[in-house]
Amino acid sequence: MRQKPTVLAREIVATSRLFCVEELKLRFSNGVERTYERLVGKGAGYGAVMIVAMLDSEHAVLVEEYCGGTDEYELSLPKGLIEPGEDVLAAAERELKEEAGFGARQLEHLTELSLSPGYMSQKIQVVLATDLYEERLEGDEPEPMRVDKVNLRELAALAQNPQFSEGRALAALYLTRDLLSQRGFFQS
């Protein structure tokens, strides 16, 4: 196993309402020194959750929301921050109700994904939600989200949809499709 670099200095060099830019001065095991910058979330530590909510054995819930990063309305999976003191599954249940209007009788933590580990510290927990029922909670979204669905047999087409661009969501859908196929619930 490789030896991690030694942190020589660590400093927050910029902040916004949501993020901090942290500068890391590092020395690698071969003596080379480099300065890295990474984006860290303010108050990070609670994390975030992304939910693959299955309407039936083939169809997962998508939501459409305005995304400031792309300045577009995009389709993705329901997701959100984990509140202080809240566990992953409770956060998944709450976010699913707030964003898509569904609760789930079965919740299962699948994996943890990162977006850009070279530059960001944030990770997201992926949760599979099944046996859905209608229930809505008031959320913090500025406008109601449109709810859509995707057939797990059509993920290649979804990846070509100009309104769908989130790699973590696509990875979560493929992982879910493979898992359900292994369990015999879905024949790909």
Side-chain angles (χ1 to χ4, degrees), residues 52-62 77 128-132 148-156 158 172-181 184-188:
V52 181
M54 298 301 300
L55 292 165
D56 55 39
S57 64
E58 292 187 13
H59 296 91
V61 172
L62 295 177
L77 295 171
L128 174 62
T130 55
D131 197 8
L132 304 183
D148 205 338
K149 65 182 178 181
V150 62
N151 189 315
L152 295 183
R153 296 180 192 279
E154 299 170 358
L155 296 181
L158 179 64
L173 288 164
Y174 272 107
L175 288 167
T176 299
R177 185 188 70 184
D178 290 353
L179 177 68
L180 293 178
S181 180
F185 295 114
F186 176 78
Q187 302 301 317
S188 52

Side-chain angles (χ1 to χ4, degrees), residues 63-68 70-76 142-146 161-165:
V63 292
E64 179 190 61
E65 70 178 313
Y66 176 77
C67 297
T70 59
D71 189 29
E72 298 289 342
Y73 279 91
E74 300 233 359
L75 290 169
S76 190
E143 62 185 358
M145 293 182 162
R146 183 176 67 85
N161 183 333
Q163 201 179 6
F164 183 92
S165 69

Side-chain angles (χ1 to χ4, degrees), residues 50-116:
M50 174 179 282
I51 306 99
V52 181
M54 298 301 300
L55 292 165
D56 55 39
S57 64
E58 292 187 13
H59 296 91
V61 172
L62 295 177
V63 292
E64 179 190 61
E65 70 178 313
Y66 176 77
C67 297
T70 59
D71 189 29
E72 298 289 342
Y73 279 91
E74 300 233 359
L75 290 169
S76 190
L77 295 171
K79 61 188 165 301
L81 294 177
I82 299 170
E83 300 293 334
E86 188 176 44
D87 74 17
V88 170
L89 299 182
E93 176 84 356
R94 178 184 49 75
E95 287 292 342
L96 184 58
K97 289 177 181 179
E98 289 176 2
E99 294 193 356
F102 289 103
R105 290 181 187 88
Q106 298 283 11
L107 294 161
E108 177 184 355
H109 181 259
L110 297 184
T111 193
E112 177 180 81
L113 297 173
S114 63
L115 180 60
S116 182

Side-chain angles (χ1 to χ4, degrees), residues 119-145:
Y119 299 98
M120 300 173 132
S121 64
Q122 293 87 355
K123 295 184 179 180
I124 198 162
Q125 307 303 315
V126 179
V127 172
L128 174 62
T130 55
D131 197 8
L132 304 183
Y133 58 92
E134 289 187 28
E135 184 175 335
R136 180 164 299 282
L137 287 177
E138 185 76 19
D140 60 0
E141 291 74 24
E143 62 185 358
M145 293 182 162

Side-chain angles (χ1 to χ4, degrees), residues 5-9 24-28 32-36:
T6 302
V7 177
L8 303 173
L24 297 172
K25 293 186 189 301
L26 304 172
R27 181 181 298 123
F28 289 82
V32 173
E33 293 184 10
R34 290 284 190 275
T35 299
Y36 280 61

